[in-house]
Amino acid sequence: MSWPGVYPRYRDYLPPISDEHIVTLQEGGTPLVRAHNLERRFNLPCALYLKCEGANPTGSFKDRGMTVAISQAKQSGAQAVICASTGNTAASAAAYAARAGIKAFVIVPEGQIALGKLAGSMIYGAHIIQIQGNFDKALEIVRQIAEKYPVTLVNSLNPHRIEGQKTAAFEICDALGQAPDYHALPVGNAGNITAYWKGYGEYFAQKKIAKRPVMLGFQAEGAAPIVLGHPLEHPKTVATAIKIGNPASWQGALRACDESGGLITTVSDAEILEAYRLLAQHEGIFCEPASAAAVAGVLKLAQHNYFNRTSTIVCTLTGHGLKDPENALSAASTPTHIVRAELHAVVRAMGL
Ligand code: F0G
């Protein structure tokens, strides 16, 4: 039987929604891949797994939460949904709204959305409004709109988003037969770290796992309000997905970190891009720069002997690399050759 999607699979852990209102693209069921080559290359004493969320239908983890939020919106008779986004939430909301026959308004920072994300939102038929401001400003505006007008907010402030996203933690425990020792992920608006911690907590309460993991959150150095302890007016990072100065789920992130005995710390853009290249060139996994922040962080902690020999670490790779072709082209170290269309010219270019 094919994978049914996160709602049918984990219905018992999710808010009640009747079958006729479920809007699914059979999201979830994503690969959990062991990173043997990175383990060897960095002499890691532990097992490193990558949860490849770019394999979701619109190319990011957002689909897990969106299936629940849009299904709920449909059940409650909503005609329109709205979100602010750095791109992935927008594409996901647009796709699920299209499938539900609901209008989607997506509010994004002008000129700061990776091409694949904008293209997705456009082809799914969302009503796209680019603001001359950043994500935090867009979120402030959509919150006010959702309060005043008949449009349902589908940012992670909507609790159904968190409910859906927590299923990634369930899948990891189901695959490993237990919780990992550490779970690392990038932190932007902080909904995902909040969701994972909730998911692990629920499996723990149900005695499906004997312990919960230590949660490790990574922000980009130029966009690290949680690490700095104050909001930022002008966050900066190459990882546009997590270019956020005032995360909505700030408290959720702190709770995950404190209750698990974990940490939230920074990685530089250079470290992010290095991990981005390493994942592609040594594991064959093309994620977007924000996703690589988790791996960059784990490699940095490993250098300081943070992990035990027996540890199992899972990094969530939150989005697919094809979302952001511009960064891939500029970060790739491999030159392309243009030669005459002749055998000898090609052989010479091959270095043979
Ligand atoms: N990675 C990717 C690829 C993302 O798109 C996001 C968030 C994150 C990590 C951070 O997750 O916000 O739950 O802490 N993207 C949002 C968006 C903000 O609008 O697509 P978070």
Side-chain angles (χ1 to χ4, degrees):
M1 222 179 63
S2 67
W3 174 263
V6 300
Y7 193 88
R9 173 66 184 84
Y10 293 110
R11 181 187 293 273
D12 295 347
Y13 294 86
L14 293 170
I17 302 174
S18 57
D19 281 348
E20 78 261 33
H21 295 120
I22 305 294
V23 183
T24 179
L25 289 162
Q26 291 171 235
E27 59 295 310
T30 55
L32 183 66
V33 177
R34 180 102 184 244
H36 286 294
N37 293 331
L38 290 187
E39 287 173 15
R40 269 195 293 272
R41 191 178 175 87
F42 289 90
N43 231 343
L44 297 182
C46 40
L48 178 63
Y49 289 89
L50 308 168
K51 181 68 170 160
C52 300
E53 291 288 276
N56 276 299
T58 77
S60 85
F61 71 97
K62 305 288 181 178
D63 296 344
R64 292 180 183 277
M66 210 52 79
T67 180
V68 182
I70 298 284
S71 298
Q72 181 65 37
K74 191 174 172 198
Q75 178 161 276
S76 59
Q79 302 292 308
V81 295
I82 190 167
C83 66
S85 183
T86 56
N88 280 324
T89 300
S92 185
Y96 283 79
R99 196 161 171 85
I102 294 176
K103 196 171 177 62
F105 293 97
V106 308
I107 318 297
V108 297
E110 183 202 11
Q112 294 170 53
I113 302 300
L115 201 57
K117 303 178 187 181
L118 193 59
S121 295
M122 289 172 75
I123 194 70
Y124 294 129
H127 190 119
I128 302 166
I129 299 164
Q130 303 200 50
I131 62 158
Q132 293 161 337
N134 62 22
F135 169 84
D136 301 290
K137 190 69 199 166
L139 187 60
E140 202 181 302
I141 292 170
V142 299
R143 285 171 91 148
Q144 291 172 28
I145 292 174
E147 268 172 30
K148 286 204 198 104
Y149 299 92
V151 287
T152 301
L153 185 69
V154 292
N155 278 105
S156 56
L157 289 159
N158 177 331
H160 297 103
R161 281 276 315 281
I162 303 289
E163 290 300 309
Q165 283 174 211
K166 77 186 178 191
T167 60
F170 298 162
E171 284 178 23
I172 291 164
C173 298
D174 292 345
L176 296 176
Q178 60 188 336
D181 297 298
Y182 297 92
H183 190 117
L185 65 170
V187 174
N189 210 26
N192 213 25
I193 193 167
T194 304
Y196 270 94
W197 187 237
K198 186 166 197 289
Y200 285 123
E202 290 182 11
Y203 254 30
F204 183 65
Q206 296 283 323
K207 300 200 166 29
K208 288 219 159 213
I209 50 176
K211 60 167 176 56
R212 295 175 291 177
V214 171
M215 301 298 290
L216 307 172
F218 297 97
Q219 300 201 289
E221 231 164 58
I226 299 178
V227 179
L228 294 170
H230 59 79
L232 292 173
E233 189 92 23
H234 301 293
K236 282 195 190 67
T237 170
V238 67
T240 52
I242 54 171
K243 194 166 144 188
I244 292 175
N246 191 9
S249 298
W250 191 315
Q251 292 310 319
L254 288 182
R255 213 173 308 123
C257 171
D258 294 345
E259 291 178 6
S260 73
L263 50 87
I264 299 180
T265 186
T266 59
V267 282
S268 68
D269 278 6
E271 288 164 339
I272 289 173
L273 291 174
E274 179 60 11
Y276 175 61
R277 276 187 292 263
L278 284 166
L279 282 161
Q281 293 172 9
H282 297 284
E283 298 293 356
I285 297 176
F286 182 24
C287 64
E288 61 174 288
S291 309
V295 173
V298 162
L299 294 179
K300 195 161 153 175
L301 290 178
Q303 278 168 7
H304 295 95
N305 301 316
Y306 179 84
F307 302 107
N308 292 327
R309 182 155 293 278
T310 53
S311 304
T312 299
I313 309 167
V314 174
C315 290
T316 300
L317 300 184
T318 46
H320 200 286
L322 286 172
K323 291 269 189 171
D324 193 348
E326 290 130 320
N327 261 315
L329 291 172
S330 61
S333 47
T334 329
T336 65
H337 304 270
I338 299 173
V339 299
R340 285 191 315 282
E342 288 171 0
L343 174 70
H344 292 302
V346 175
V347 168
R348 214 172 309 122
M350 289 167 74
L352 297 177

